[in-house]
Structure formats: structure tokens, C-alpha cells
Amino acid sequence: QVQLVESGGGLVQPGGSLRLSCVASGSIFSLYDMGWYRQAPGKQRELVATITSDGSTNYVDFVKGRFTISRDNAKTTMYLQMNSLKPEDTAVYCCNANRVNRRGSRYDYWGQGTQVTVSS
């Protein structure tokens, strides 16, 4: 029901900033909860931040105070503003959309990911 495409990744120096975007299509964007995840080589995928359909946000400790998640329902786009980047932030960042239907079933959709590399 939802197709997701991330963009905005790239190479940045430690302490620098990047803004990731995730554009959704194929369904009613405003009904979905959204999130950013990341996966470094050889590691498991981990949660970065979430934003619900009504705009409530949550962050994991290792990005709190540095990253900001937001969404623009009119543009069907979710963003991740990343500041004060560290080499440990290097990973493929993936967009997630999910919802629970009236029967209680959860559906998850994923983007292809965008590479973020933090290096001098």
C-alpha cells in the first residue's frame, strides 16, 4: 500500500549535518506512523527515531539532542535532520511506515535506504 524512497545521504565530516528525506506514495500518508532506522555493516538494524500519525516523536539515546524527526503530511514526506554527526553514525538509513488496521494486524513498509558516511 505504501512505497517509500529515501534521499539526502552522503559524505560529511564529523560535527557536520545532513537532512534525510523519505517520500511516500501509494496510500494515505497521514494514517501511518513513521520511523527512521539504520544499519551499519555487520550490525543489526536499529531504531533511530519515530513519529506517529499525530506528530508525537521519540528518539533513542544515542541521537537525542542531535537528530530531529519531522513530517509534512501535505508533501507525504518525512525528514531526519542530523546535526553534530559522529563517525559512529555511519550507516544505511531506512524509512519505515506502519499502521494497525481495525482487526489489529500491523503492516510495515520499508524504503531502500540511503548511505550516510561520517569521516574526516
Side-chain angles (χ1 to χ4, degrees):
Q1 289 185 264
V2 178
Q3 294 79 49
L4 305 170
V5 179
E6 303 97 332
S7 63
L11 175 64
V12 65
Q13 293 184 331
S17 298
L18 285 173
R19 184 178 178 87
L20 307 183
S21 298
C22 171
V23 179
S25 62
S27 192
I28 304 175
F29 179 78
S30 61
L31 297 180
Y32 286 80
D33 296 335
M34 304 287 292
W36 287 99
Y37 293 74
R38 69 186 187 186
Q39 186 170 19
K43 295 184 178 180
Q44 294 291 310
R45 183 175 61 196
E46 63 183 358
L47 176 68
V48 176
T50 61
I51 183 165
T52 65
S53 59
D54 63 2
S56 180
T57 61
N58 283 285
Y59 303 88
V60 295
D61 288 342
F62 55 79
V63 306
K64 192 171 296 182
R66 300 189 297 124
F67 292 7
T68 302
I69 188 171
S70 61
R71 66 192 294 166
D72 186 335
N73 288 342
K75 297 181 178 179
T76 67
T77 302
M78 178 180 64
Y79 304 95
L80 185 67
Q81 178 66 48
M82 304 185 295
N83 300 323
S84 302
L85 283 162
K86 306 175 181 179
E88 304 95 284
D89 296 318
T90 296
V92 175
Y93 285 71
C94 296
C95 177
N96 168 266
N98 64 89
R99 71 178 184 92
V100 178
N101 68 14
R102 294 179 179 180
R103 298 180 62 187
S105 299
R106 172 164 171 155
Y107 297 86
D108 282 273
Y109 304 90
W110 298 92
Q112 83 291 341
T114 184
Q115 177 71 48
V116 172
T117 303
V118 185
S119 180
S120 298

